[in-house]
Amino acid sequence: MIGAAASYMSGLFFASFFTDLRIYLLVIPFLFGLLVYSVREKWKKSDYILTAAVFLTGFAVFSGYTEIKYNSAAMLNGTTGTFTGEVVSVKRYDRGLVSYVLKGTANGETNVKLTFFGDDTGAVYGDEIKLEECEFSLIESDYLFDSERYYKSDGVFLSAESTGNLHTEKKHRRIIKNLTAEFRENMIFKFSAETDSDTGAFLGGMLFGEKHGLDDSIKTALYRSGIGHILAVSGLHVSILAAVLMFFLKRLHIGKAVSLFLMNLLLFGFILLADTPVSAVRAAVMMNFMYSAPLFRRQNDSLNSLSGASLLICLCSPYSIYDEGFLLSLSGTFGIAVFAPFMTKNMKTKTLTDKLTKDFVTGICTCISVFPMSMIFFGESSVVSPISNILLVPLCTVSMIFGIVYMLSNGMIPVLVLSEILIKTVISVSENVAEIRFSHIAHISDKTSEMVLFLGFACVGIYLLVRNRKAVFSAVTVSFLVFLTVSAYTVNRRNNEFRIAVLGKNTNASAVVSYRGQTDIIDLSGHHRTPEYVSVYLSENGIEKAEYLILAKNPQSQYTAYAENMKNVNAEYCLALSDTEINGAEISDYFDESGFHISRNEYEIDFADGVLEIVYSGNRVYFVPSADSEKSDGTNIVYGRKTDDRNYEIVLSEKGLYRRRL
């Protein structure tokens, strides 16, 4: 099972990056490792043939799925036509807006799934929506959200924008799906009504994976402290439910077969309530492998169970390898169920100190396993997660159990007060931990993340080939030292670069100037979404302090937006082009109605008549409001018009200027 899963997923992986030549640098060490492993395991000729066949099958399945599904949808990109489809996913937002995922036919012939965002039509799961005229476009990621990968893993490749009439037809289908969705929304509302908005949103995240109502600063604190995974329904939640149920069933002397049936019934309902996340499905399959082992008189093997669950999911959905939840869950489960037991095999558990030490080492193993994926998918990774998971996850677990009791009793058992106390404790501790500078590591650069992934694969390869704890420990230690060395070099190099980040999309624009520990933020457009771009950039670069926050338009509303989006970043001064004082902000002496001037030792920043001028080492960069106001003695960046050519860095030096994408 392990070999089949590894070969098949390797085929999917290499097929998914078929056009990226850098990935093929992994082919040589992969083949070398496979050769060493096969020699050590004394493979027969049939083993080589079977491994190659499974690998090629995975490669062919992915390529075929891409050709049949993705490429047929891609042919509609940029065209206008009609679409009729069934609602398979619904997300409602404020101001009467809704996002649908529709499954149907475009122009009456091409079967596709697409997203549609617009006014709420009242449609629910199973209803039919007809777009008489719409514009099709491939889903593309932007700087704020990797929407392409997010939707791609679910087979959704297109988005549609209605330019004509829209009709909704009630079909009264998917009754169970609609009932569970309604129940989920009602429960989240009750959680917030009985406690407070943050506690309610936290419980909603733990039980249903619905965390959009939780304050962004709290989510950041949870991820920085290393327990953000508690907000995504995954193996932890499924294993807790299964373990609690099986514990009571064993005490009641219920038979193994009946217990397995009842466990699946509970997990099926829970996963359905959470809207069937792939990470929870993977965990449920693993639970079945584990608890069904005694029925078939076999010994459960965690790695074998993990491989079987992964293989089953990837067989049903080849694009699951794009799903960050699946990959994070896969790596986390490998850490806690395979890597940690291997490293702690001979550790004593007689005393409380021994048990805590073993739990701490288990946490470290899990953190190490998840680290490469978290560096790729997130702007930051926690380094204190082993400790925080030991201290905080038990509190979250008890709180989640209280939430389940409240949910199953439909509020008849008033236990949310206890849950609220625990959750507020978790949030408070997480916020304090997040303020510690070295509690987390910033993303830094894509090259660093790729290096971490490569080192991670190398460590896994050594584990599979050698199965020696000292060798694995040495490999992990060396990898960590290499990562620290490269990270320190990268941070030092970037710190000594004069960088101007050009951020925003369409009509919103801002600039972030960074040089030798000094950072200034200049908001040029006054658009409400601009702070989101700035916040992501600062997070990815590990910037937690800015000297100036400069607001050129809509100062009061923008200051409020920045205060909400940058709670983890301290701006010492706020400059505003306004004759009215901003509530809650300190206005410095540089304030002026027409513009401002900031002078540093090696560079200057000026703003006048809507033009931002940045001068460093003889280089001049201008942000101008229109093409008519471009300057002839420097680099011009036009803002205030609809353009997607943003979210890049300009690096200035004595040798000149160059740009790099973010």
Side-chain angles (χ1 to χ4, degrees), residues 1-6 8-9 282 285-286 289 301-315 326 330 333-334 338 464:
M1 185 66 75
I2 298 171
Y8 184 79
M9 292 184 68
R282 190 269 316 151
V285 175
M286 279 197 68
F289 276 118
D301 179 81
S302 297
L303 183 56
N304 202 48
S305 298
L306 180 62
S307 301
S310 303
L311 179 61
L312 182 61
I313 289 172
C314 290
L315 282 171
F326 171 65
L330 190 65
T333 304
F334 176 84
V338 181
L464 293 174

Side-chain angles (χ1 to χ4, degrees), residues 357-546:
T357 302
K358 186 174 181 178
D359 288 342
F360 179 71
V361 174
T362 299
I364 291 177
C365 292
T366 306
C367 181
I368 291 171
S369 300
V370 172
F371 190 80
M373 290 300 172
S374 62
M375 283 292 290
I376 292 174
F377 294 129
F378 303 121
E380 299 170 330
S381 293
S382 173
V383 296
V384 297
S385 61
I387 299 175
S388 57
N389 273 270
I390 292 174
L391 297 176
L392 300 180
V393 168
L395 301 182
C396 295
T397 300
V398 176
S399 175
M400 184 178 72
I401 292 173
F402 284 147
I404 293 173
V405 170
Y406 179 89
M407 179 177 66
L408 294 178
S409 67
N410 198 27
M412 296 297 292
I413 303 177
V415 292
L416 287 189
V417 175
L418 300 174
S419 184
E420 182 178 13
I421 294 172
L422 296 174
I423 288 174
K424 285 187 174 180
T425 301
V426 170
I427 292 175
S428 177
V429 173
S430 297
E431 288 177 334
N432 285 300
V433 170
E435 292 177 359
I436 301 173
R437 177 63 186 89
F438 298 104
S439 65
H440 53 280
I441 297 176
H443 178 89
I444 306 173
S445 73
D446 289 338
K447 290 183 179 179
T448 307
S449 300
E450 292 171 1
M451 179 198 68
V452 171
L453 183 62
F454 180 81
L455 292 173
F457 278 129
C459 291
V460 172
I462 291 173
Y463 162 76
L464 293 174
L465 294 174
V466 180
R467 297 293 179 97
N468 180 280
R469 277 185 287 276
K470 290 183 179 180
V472 174
F473 177 79
S474 299
V476 172
T477 302
V478 170
S479 297
F480 187 67
L481 291 175
V482 169
F483 168 74
L484 288 181
T485 302
V486 174
S487 297
Y489 169 77
T490 304
V491 169
N492 183 65
R493 178 178 58 80
R494 286 179 62 80
N495 191 49
N496 287 286
E497 291 177 338
F498 186 88
R499 292 177 286 123
I500 305 171
V502 184
L503 304 172
K505 184 179 181 180
N506 294 330
T507 57
N508 61 77
S510 62
V512 177
V513 182
S514 303
Y515 185 58
R516 292 185 177 176
Q518 290 184 321
T519 300
D520 299 312
I521 304 165
I522 305 102
D523 187 306
L524 298 166
S525 60
H527 194 278
H528 71 280
R529 296 209 68 186
T530 308
E532 298 179 36
Y533 288 88
V534 174
S535 179
V536 170
Y537 177 79
L538 298 180
S539 174
E540 288 189 347
N541 288 274
I543 299 173
E544 298 182 354
K545 180 181 178 182

Side-chain angles (χ1 to χ4, degrees), residues 209-273:
E210 294 284 349
K211 53 184 178 286
H212 62 271
L214 192 62
D215 187 89
D216 287 339
S217 64
I218 294 178
K219 283 190 283 189
T220 299
L222 294 173
Y223 282 109
R224 285 184 174 179
S225 64
I227 62 167
H229 61 86
I230 200 72
L231 298 177
V233 177
S234 60
L236 176 65
H237 305 70
V238 171
S239 60
I240 289 172
L241 281 176
V244 171
L245 177 66
M246 298 302 276
F247 173 82
F248 284 110
L249 292 177
K250 187 175 181 180
R251 293 297 180 274
L252 295 172
H253 303 289
I254 305 298
K256 292 183 176 64
V258 176
S259 296
L260 184 65
F261 172 77
L262 293 175
M263 182 196 75
N264 277 299
L265 197 63
L266 175 65
L267 295 185
F268 176 78
F270 180 70
I271 292 172
L272 196 62
L273 280 174

Side-chain angles (χ1 to χ4, degrees), residues 165-179:
N165 294 326
L166 182 153
H167 302 284
T168 299
E169 185 177 349
K170 295 290 183 180
K171 291 293 186 178
H172 304 290
R173 294 184 297 208
R174 296 185 179 263
I175 297 175
I176 296 178
K177 187 84 169 177
N178 283 307
L179 288 175

Side-chain angles (χ1 to χ4, degrees), residues 279-347:
S279 54
V281 173
R282 190 269 316 151
V285 175
M286 279 197 68
M287 290 298 105
N288 274 275
F289 276 118
M290 184 172 72
Y291 286 109
S292 65
L295 289 174
F296 298 98
R297 301 179 184 275
R298 64 177 180 83
Q299 183 68 34
N300 177 62
D301 179 81
S302 297
L303 183 56
N304 202 48
S305 298
L306 180 62
S307 301
S310 303
L311 179 61
L312 182 61
I313 289 172
C314 290
L315 282 171
C316 298
S317 176
Y319 275 12
S320 289
I321 57 168
Y322 289 118
D323 192 313
E324 65 183 48
F326 171 65
L327 295 176
L328 285 166
S329 177
L330 190 65
S331 58
T333 304
F334 176 84
I336 198 170
V338 181
F339 184 37
F342 171 75
M343 297 300 292
T344 62
K345 184 178 180 180
N346 296 328
M347 293 184 69

Side-chain angles (χ1 to χ4, degrees), residues 123-135:
V124 296
Y125 294 98
D127 289 346
E128 188 175 86
I129 292 181
K130 296 180 180 180
L131 305 174
E132 291 188 359
E133 189 175 354
C134 60
E135 296 178 356

